[in-house]
């Protein structure tokens, strides 16, 4: 039975919240473990639906997964079998495509269905496939399945037309066992890429330059198991910074790496948000008047596309006209239609939105059309007068661990109901 989240708005939040580990790192780290010839222990695994889907795929491959505690996984790929991944679990999340690079690297062959995930407009995987072909693999597509195989993977110089996070990680994973040296130029620089490279290096890979635009991978013969702790989730941290700016008297957001959030915190400061930035936490206090600002999404270290949706909700409360320009996923404005239904004054055109504020928001039925739209609806529900009912909350559960409980602990009035 589907669930809805209901929020009674207008309550002031106060207290501390501890941020979970990074979803966007976790969904790549779990597939990366199949490259090891021995057990890999991952600590800090967030309680999100994507982890369940990835665990199911590991089980299909004959990989043993043991949960030692709620956030502690031991993944043992010793008896892995490279079966064709045609199960529905593959189509449930986009990150299943990381098994392409991992299994191609380990076995020289992978066959799997087209991955799924949130629809944010065209999200082609041609850069991943071109990278695999550059390493010597042949790609065929038949009956909605990709087969990628190579007698031997050989190091190559690969230039990415777009600095894609997924392609950078996938090529890196395929290249760890390739003969010779692989160079990825115009590589993405996101912190999650550094985290995956750190795990692979702990296993015995030779990867240099992760976090810069040139990554070098020298192929090795064998990777072994290791212990790894996941970095904090900068997008969840950013979402809570926005929530704090929207409706907190005082909130302390803990377990964060502030430099990962520089693009957001500078925009919040432009808007007039009162904050103190510490080594691993940020404190936000209530601001009487927010000022409009403009944001253009860019690859890291620019403003994250994943944070423009929750920030748009905050912009409805700012004095003046704010503008969001989306350069990564130009169709990522479905949240604007939902906010309009709640009373927001927003005008959407191709790849951009103008938000006039401040607007009074009113509780109504809305839909979480994708994961970060769900975050925008949570912020809106906390601000709105009356009760907001959010549908398709499975999108929210894919990326935010125990979000209801974290908000309740801060004083939000939020609950779930099952609907017919």
């Amino acid at each position: 039975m589907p669930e809805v989240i209901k929020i009674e708005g207008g309550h002031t939040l106060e207290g501390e919240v501890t941020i979970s580990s990074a979803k966007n790192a976790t969904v790549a780290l779990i597939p990366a473990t199949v490259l090891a010839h021995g057990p890999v222990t991952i600590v800090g695994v967030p309680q999100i639906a994507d982890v369940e889907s990835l665990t199911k795929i590991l089980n299909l491959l004959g990989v043993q997964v043991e949960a030692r505690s709620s956030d502690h996984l031991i993944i043992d790929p010793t008896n892995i079998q490279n079966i064709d991944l045609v199960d529905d679990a593959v189509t449930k999340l986009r990150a299943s495509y990381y098994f392409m690079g991992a299994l191609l690297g380990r076995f020289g062959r992978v066959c799997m269905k087209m991955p799924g995930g949130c629809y944010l407009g065209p999200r082609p995987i041609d850069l991943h496939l071109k990278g695999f072909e550059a390493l010597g693999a042949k790609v065929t597509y038949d009956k909605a399945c990709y087969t990628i195989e190579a007698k031997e993977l050989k190091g190559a110089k690969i230039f990415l037309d777009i600095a894609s996070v997924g392609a950078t990680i996938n090529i890196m994973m395929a290249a760890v066992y390739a003969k010779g040296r692989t160079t990825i130029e115009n590589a993405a620089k996101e912190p999650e890429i550094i985290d995956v490279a750190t795990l692979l290096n702990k296993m015995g890979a030779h990867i240099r330059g992760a976090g810069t635009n040139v990554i070098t991978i020298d192929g090795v013969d064998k990777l072994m198991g290791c212990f790894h702790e996941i970095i904090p989730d900068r997008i969840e941290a950013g979402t809570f910074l926005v929530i704090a700016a929207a409706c907190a008297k005082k909130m302390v957001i803990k377990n964060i790496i502030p430099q990962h959030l520089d693009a957001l915190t500078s925009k919040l400061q432009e808007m007039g948000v009162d904050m103190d930035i510490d080594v691993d936490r940020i404190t936000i206090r209530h601001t009487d008047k927010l000022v409009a600002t403009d944001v253009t999404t860019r690859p890291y270290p620019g403003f994250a596309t994943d944070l423009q949706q929750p920030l748009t909700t905050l912009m409805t409360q700012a004095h003046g006209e704010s503008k969001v320009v989306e350069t990564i996923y130009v169709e990522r404005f479905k949240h604007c239609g939902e906010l309009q239904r709640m009373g927001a004054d927003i005008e959407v055109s191709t790849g951009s939105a103008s938000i006039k504020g401040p607007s009074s928001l009113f509780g109504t039925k809305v839909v979480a059309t994708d994961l970060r739209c769900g975050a925008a609806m949570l912020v809106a529900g906390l601000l709105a007068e009356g009760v907001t009912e959010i549908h398709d909350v499975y999108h929210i559960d894919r990326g935010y661990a125990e979000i209801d409980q974290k908000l309740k602990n801060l004083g939000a009035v939020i609950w779930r109901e099952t609907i017919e």
Side-chain angles (χ1 to χ4, degrees), residues 29 131 204 221 240 264-265 267 288 323 341 352 357:
L29 291 165
D221 293 328
F240 271 99
L264 174 65
T265 50
K267 284 294 166 192
D288 283 331
K323 189 166 188 186
R341 288 161 64 177
S352 70

Side-chain angles (χ1 to χ4, degrees), residues 37 123 139 220 313 340-341 349 355:
H37 292 263
R123 301 171 81 183
V139 179
V220 296
T313 305
Q340 284 166 341
R341 288 161 64 177
S349 47
I355 305 103

